[in-house]
Amino acid sequence: MANPVLLNNIDHADLRVVLDRGAAYGDAVNQTMVFATEFEELQREYAILFRRDPAGAYRATVLLGFDADENLYLDGTHWDARYIPALMSRGPFLIGVPPEGVTGEPMIHIDPSHPRVRQGGEGAAIFLDHGGNAPLLDHVSAALQRIYVGSQVAPAMFAAFEEHGLIQPVELRVETEDGRRFTVPDGYTIAQDRLAALAGAALAALHRDDFLRPAIWAASSLGNITALVARKQRRDG
């Protein structure tokens, strides 16, 4: 069970973080939640799909595989992509947000019980010997910033997409060369024809709020399905 604590360079000076990828570290999943703050990098590698949570709110995900617990970007202990989604790259680190009504900035926390965490020895250092941030912590800070900012802008972004009629259901149906068929249901995407037909005022509003670029990136990302199918064929032989 996760038990995050505030990260500091005294109590956690000797902690190390294993950077290998694999099922033991929670990487064997066929999709993961993502954020608009990383769409530009994601759309070069992954298919971005929108989902609806039980309350009906939209959230963005990327497709990593077709079968349960299948991540086709995993290659042994390596993640075979130029960019790893922020939620998957943060490792044992989380953002701690002050309780409602309490002032303060979000702070980085760590889960000492996470399978990646080691007490000395194996893994990458979090802090330098003199107490400053090691490169790992700088990388994690950037990932957590994307998660935090992305989670804050998501409701307004999806509201804008809905206002302009840009969200449409999509059911992905793919077939491998050997005749196997896979269906990815319950997804949503950006309607490219509606996006292209938007009038000047609507385009200006989306551009002003910086929602136009994420819409374009999400729509274009579905072209990566072909590459994902190719990964599936190579994996299954």
Side-chain angles (χ1 to χ4, degrees):
M1 179 179 297
N3 184 28
V5 295
L6 182 65
L7 182 69
N8 67 82
N9 61 5
I10 297 176
D11 297 330
H12 307 126
D14 296 328
L15 292 187
R16 299 292 186 270
V17 177
V18 176
L19 301 182
D20 289 346
R21 315 304 307 192
Y25 307 115
D27 293 326
V29 293
N30 65 9
Q31 61 183 298
T32 187
M33 188 174 175
V34 295
F35 305 90
T37 42
E38 53 182 337
F39 277 14
E40 183 175 8
E41 290 80 9
L42 292 167
Q43 56 90 27
R44 300 187 183 109
E45 304 271 355
Y46 309 93
I48 301 171
L49 285 174
F50 303 150
R51 304 282 192 183
R52 302 193 84 161
D53 65 22
Y58 287 104
R59 54 184 173 86
T61 65
V62 288
L63 193 63
L64 303 176
F66 298 107
D67 292 324
D69 304 324
E70 177 183 67
N71 184 344
L72 295 170
Y73 293 88
L74 278 182
D75 183 9
T77 59
H78 172 66
W79 189 297
D80 183 28
R82 291 166 292 180
Y83 178 80
I84 300 176
L87 274 180
M88 304 301 291
S89 66
R90 68 175 181 173
F93 301 95
L94 307 91
I95 301 172
V97 180
E100 187 174 351
V102 177
T103 59
E105 295 294 323
M107 303 290 286
I108 297 178
H109 287 57
I110 187 170
D111 175 12
S113 66
H114 193 281
R116 289 189 181 279
V117 176
R118 301 286 189 274
Q119 184 71 45
E122 178 189 12
I126 301 172
F127 296 104
L128 301 174
D129 290 341
H130 59 73
N133 291 358
L136 170 64
L137 188 53
D138 288 336
H139 170 77
V140 167
S141 296
L144 292 176
Q145 176 75 2
R146 287 187 167 190
I147 294 169
Y148 180 73
V149 175
S151 66
Q152 299 299 301
V153 304
M157 182 184 74
F158 284 117
F161 290 168
E162 284 196 289
E163 177 185 352
H164 298 296
L166 295 180
I167 299 180
Q168 69 176 16
V170 60
E171 183 175 80
L172 299 179
R173 300 176 182 272
V174 298
E175 182 173 353
T176 61
E177 290 181 354
D178 58 6
R180 287 175 298 156
R181 294 180 175 87
F182 299 92
T183 300
V184 183
D186 304 322
Y188 297 83
T189 188
I190 294 292
Q192 296 196 44
D193 56 341
R194 298 176 199 166
L195 181 61
L198 286 179
L203 282 174
L206 288 172
H207 177 68
R208 178 197 66 216
D209 296 328
D210 200 21
F211 297 151
L212 181 58
R213 293 188 304 162
I216 295 171
W217 290 327
S220 64
S221 75
L222 291 188
N224 290 317
I225 289 292
T226 301
L228 191 63
V229 172
R231 286 177 180 269
K232 177 68 171 174
Q233 292 175 166
R234 291 195 300 269
R235 179 69 57 87
D236 293 350

